[in-house]
Amino acid sequence: MDIEDIIIDEYEKVDVDERLGKVRSAFERTRSKGIIVTEDGEYAGVITEKQLLQSHVEDNTKAGAMMLSAPRVDEHADVRDVARVLVEGDVKVAPVFAGERLAGIITENAILEAVIENLDVLTVGDIATEDVLSVSEDATIGQVINLMRENSISRAPVTNENGYLTGVVTTHDITDIVVRDMDKATTGDRGGDIERMLDIPVYDVMQSPVETIDPDATVETAVRTMLDERYSGLVVTSDPEDRLVAGIITKTDVLRALTYTEDEHMDVQITNIEVLETITREEIVSSIEAVSDKYADMQVQHAHVRFKQHKEKLRGTPLIYAQIRLRTNVGQIGGSGEGYGAESAFRVALDKLERNVVELKGMQADEEYEGQLLRKLGQL
């Protein structure tokens, strides 16, 4: 399936010289996940909702200073390839071109709506993220913003002092209160108002009660719920009273599942691939394959490598955080680490991954699972 029939030709756009204050208003008005930025009428980039969490950026900042260079998509591209582009680019929206002409945009929602009927083969437990970062009810908005920035997440479950689920907080909840109230502040009051808002406990802004889903539910059910309720993700709970967090499933998790292949090489996705300098995608893939191949009892269905660049540098080389997560027939296994440069960070994460894999060496494989899942996805 290609994306020619699901391109969106009506979309929100702003000029590179537009004030960020108006861009924020556009997000609030349209609830869009991304807005196209143009220069002299031509495509220049995209601004995402996640960037609005940079609360220190002034309203008078121009849109061009905030835009990302989202990858371009051809109108005849396959839906799998486009899903990979959105995941690896860490964006919800990408421009679609017919030759050199901007034909429209493609969004994660448009892709999910197009393939939703094929998602009954997967269960939520197959693709949900089990390693969940949660926050306590008394955590401040400022602390939550830092957590989301550092870990590139857009939502976090909120738990009480007993560890029970009581709510969920998202980037939209935060931008709703921080951005809207910042816009109301006068110049003289702004600094103090920002501090007061960042000290608000998450309990006051979280969504409650929480929309949850069982790990045995189909991904089709999860996606329909997310689309109908305009959620980007759902908290996964396995206990009857929905009190204990078992994971999170997001639209990005579903897009990632769409890219699973039956190729000879392991399916590997890399987020923030632009930070790679002294190491290639091929070297990353072969290194992860070398780890997994040592243990025949473990079948890897998918690997996700995420890089995050910090401001700190050593002799001009930035400090990089690397995280490797494998989805296997014996569960999810990961490793993470930091180093100066992507290659150094990746090697530290790979070493930790291998040590974690060793601990699971004796587990038995479900020999048919991966082939059945991938063959069914191949019908898309």
Side-chain angles (χ1 to χ4, degrees), residues 290-291 294-295 334 349-359:
V291 171
K294 292 180 181 179
Y295 312 105
L350 188 70
D351 181 64
K352 291 185 179 179
L353 173 70
E354 183 162 8
R355 278 182 278 165
N356 291 335
V357 168
V358 170
E359 296 178 3

Side-chain angles (χ1 to χ4, degrees), residues 3 39-41 56 68 74 76 93 121 130 135 187 190 193 221 238 278 295 297 334 340:
I3 64 163
E39 184 173 15
D40 296 328
H56 61 280
L68 299 173
D74 183 84
H76 299 300
V93 176
V121 62
E130 298 171 353
V135 297
T187 303
R190 188 182 184 87
D193 285 350
T221 298
S238 54
T278 61
Y295 312 105
D297 289 341
Y340 289 98

Side-chain angles (χ1 to χ4, degrees), residues 50-68:
K50 187 183 296 184
Q51 290 171 277
L52 295 185
L53 285 182
Q54 299 184 37
S55 55
H56 61 280
V57 179
E58 296 290 334
D59 286 347
N60 288 329
T61 301
K62 292 183 178 180
M66 290 287 290
M67 68 182 184
L68 299 173

Side-chain angles (χ1 to χ4, degrees), residues 89-120:
D90 194 24
V91 292
K92 311 293 185 185
V93 176
V96 180
F97 284 81
E100 295 299 316
R101 179 180 63 84
L102 179 61
I105 63 172
I106 187 68
T107 67
E108 62 177 4
N109 280 3
I111 293 176
L112 294 177
E113 288 170 353
V115 303
I116 191 169
E117 293 183 358
N118 300 88
L119 299 177
D120 60 341

Side-chain angles (χ1 to χ4, degrees), residues 124-341:
V124 168
D126 288 334
I127 67 172
T129 299
E130 298 171 353
D131 184 16
V132 180
L133 294 172
S134 59
V135 297
S136 63
E137 292 178 332
D138 58 359
T140 66
I141 287 181
Q143 291 172 328
V144 174
I145 288 176
N146 288 333
L147 178 76
M148 290 180 169
R149 285 177 180 167
E150 289 299 314
N151 295 278
S152 295
I153 58 176
S154 59
R155 62 187 49 246
V158 182
T159 56
N160 63 17
E161 59 184 7
N162 297 316
Y164 294 152
L165 176 68
T166 58
V168 65
V169 61
T170 70
T171 54
H172 185 77
D173 299 324
I174 294 174
T175 53
D176 236 11
I177 182 169
V178 176
V179 173
R180 182 186 62 225
D181 291 348
M182 279 172 56
D183 287 343
K184 293 179 181 177
T186 65
T187 303
D189 295 335
R190 188 182 184 87
D193 285 350
I194 293 174
E195 286 187 11
R196 285 191 292 273
M197 283 183 287
L198 295 181
D199 286 337
I200 294 174
V202 71
Y203 182 84
D204 291 345
V205 301
M206 71 181 189
Q207 299 174 30
S208 183
V210 186
E211 185 83 44
T212 63
I213 194 162
D214 189 275
D216 293 329
T218 67
V219 173
E220 178 185 0
T221 298
V223 171
R224 289 192 186 281
T225 300
M226 286 189 277
L227 292 175
D228 290 345
E229 303 298 330
R230 303 183 73 172
Y231 297 144
S232 293
L234 298 171
V235 178
V236 182
T237 56
S238 54
D239 65 304
E241 297 181 1
D242 289 341
R243 296 190 303 174
L244 298 177
V245 178
I248 279 185
I249 182 171
T250 67
K251 291 176 180 176
T252 300
D253 292 323
V254 182
L255 290 183
R256 189 174 293 120
L258 292 178
T259 69
Y260 292 176
T261 70
E262 291 186 284
D263 293 343
E264 179 180 349
H265 293 286
M266 178 190 307
D267 180 60
V268 177
Q269 286 186 347
I270 302 174
T271 298
N272 295 328
I273 197 170
E274 65 274 5
V275 305
L276 302 186
E277 292 183 355
T278 61
I279 187 171
T280 65
R281 162 187 274 280
E282 291 71 25
E283 290 172 325
I284 288 175
V285 173
S286 62
S287 295
I288 296 176
E289 286 180 336
V291 171
S292 65
D293 288 347
K294 292 180 181 179
Y295 312 105
D297 289 341
M298 185 182 73
Q299 299 173 355
V300 178
Q301 291 129 19
H302 178 77
H304 181 209
V305 182
R306 182 170 69 87
F307 292 99
K308 178 177 176 58
Q309 180 172 311
H310 297 293
K311 293 182 179 178
E312 181 181 340
K313 292 185 178 181
L314 178 65
R315 300 186 185 91
T317 302
L319 179 65
I320 301 287
Y321 169 82
Q323 179 187 64
I324 307 171
R325 180 173 292 156
L326 304 185
R327 194 177 301 279
T328 81
N329 60 301
V330 295
Q332 295 185 37
I333 309 170
S336 62
E338 290 185 334
Y340 289 98

